[in-house]
Amino acid sequence: MTDTTYATATGAPVLPATKPARPFFSSGPCAKPPGWSADKLATDSLGRSHRSKIGKTRLQYSIDLMRELLKLPDTHRIGIVPGSDTGAYEMAMWTMLGAKPVTALAWESFGEGWVTDAVKQLKIDPTVVRADYGQLPDLDSVDWSNDVLFTWNGTTSGVRVPNADWIPDDREGLSFADATSGVFAYDIDWTKIDVATFSWQKVLGGEGAHGVLILGPRAVERLESYTPAWPLPKVFRLVSKGKLAEGVFKGETINTPSMLAVEDAIFSLEWAKSLGKDGLIARSDANAAALDTIVAERDWLGHLAADPATRSKTSVCLTVEGADEAMIKAMAAALEKAGAAYDVAGYRDAPPGLRIWCGATVDTADIVALGPWLDWAYATAKAG
């Protein structure tokens, strides 16, 4: 096991010699792609209407890049919507739920948020299947005569679904995947996904406030054949005169987007295209493996998600022996003050621990360099 004392003769922990070159380990917004700088962003669309030729062209270009990178079939539509991943997922819930019974799976904070929406806001009395942080519920027990809400990758618990094999081809209900920490990091079988949502601020390292909504043909059929009982705000309306508002999926956004955020996303998407989806996945896998090594070498550090088969490779949640919330805050504050790691405290609703983003925009060398700094922060917090 690694010696975690790092003490001088006076008992003070010794600062490690090497810092991560880019100490950005936040789980959202996440690290920018390597080589990013603001002066590299295209600016011709700035100060122009998003409905101008250049505005619509750039929005459509971002959609085309996302389709290419995700290897999304032509049967699925992609739209840019307001409100980040939350806005996109709630848009899907508000417009499509209520036609069938609903099952909501919750094993982390955002899944619980969708349960709250369904129960308290839409009042549809879903079947709720829960698991504790670090665990996954029994996916094989899900009743697919219902619409099913789930998170592909639990950002706040570090637990993910292993794949899409548990979703049947002959399902009656729709599958609603909150995939914000999953797209571009895992292979997703799009034939199993009717609705998916994500935001640019996760694996792409883009800016917040904009969500992406992906609709399969069964979701489109639902939208065109079903009218929910509750009122829909303007920013949720995807249907006009009984037909899908196709313009939303061709860059004609419902409300005004930030073209600066769009240009930032395009930079990230072009960087991602240079690697390809497999390259993005390989970077996340390498980062997660490097962090696994750090954990294995330390008896005071562990994974919140015990099962490697369902452990996140992006938002990796760690346990710290003997740590309470105050200790975790002390460790995170010490790392930030030293400029060694930013925003690594676990999510506020999760058990006290650390959370390290291992998505593709992080360099593996920075994960490796983080290990001794975690030792230092642990020793510093214990001494304090």
Side-chain angles (χ1 to χ4, degrees), residues 1-2 290-299 301-303:
M1 299 297 176
T2 298
L291 189 56
D292 280 347
T293 298
I294 290 171
V295 173
E297 291 174 345
R298 290 154 176 82
D299 56 8
L301 199 57
H303 283 287

Side-chain angles (χ1 to χ4, degrees), residues 44-57 59 256-257 259:
D44 289 349
S45 68
L46 305 189
R48 298 293 307 274
S49 169
H50 62 295
R51 303 193 189 283
S52 66
K53 181 177 180 181
I54 188 172
K56 288 194 289 188
T57 297
L59 285 160
T256 304
M259 293 308 298

Side-chain angles (χ1 to χ4, degrees), residues 1 42 55 63 103 132 136 162 168 185 194 211 220 298 340 361:
M1 299 297 176
I63 289 172
T103 295
D132 292 335
L136 195 67
D194 300 307
V220 174
R298 290 154 176 82
T361 57

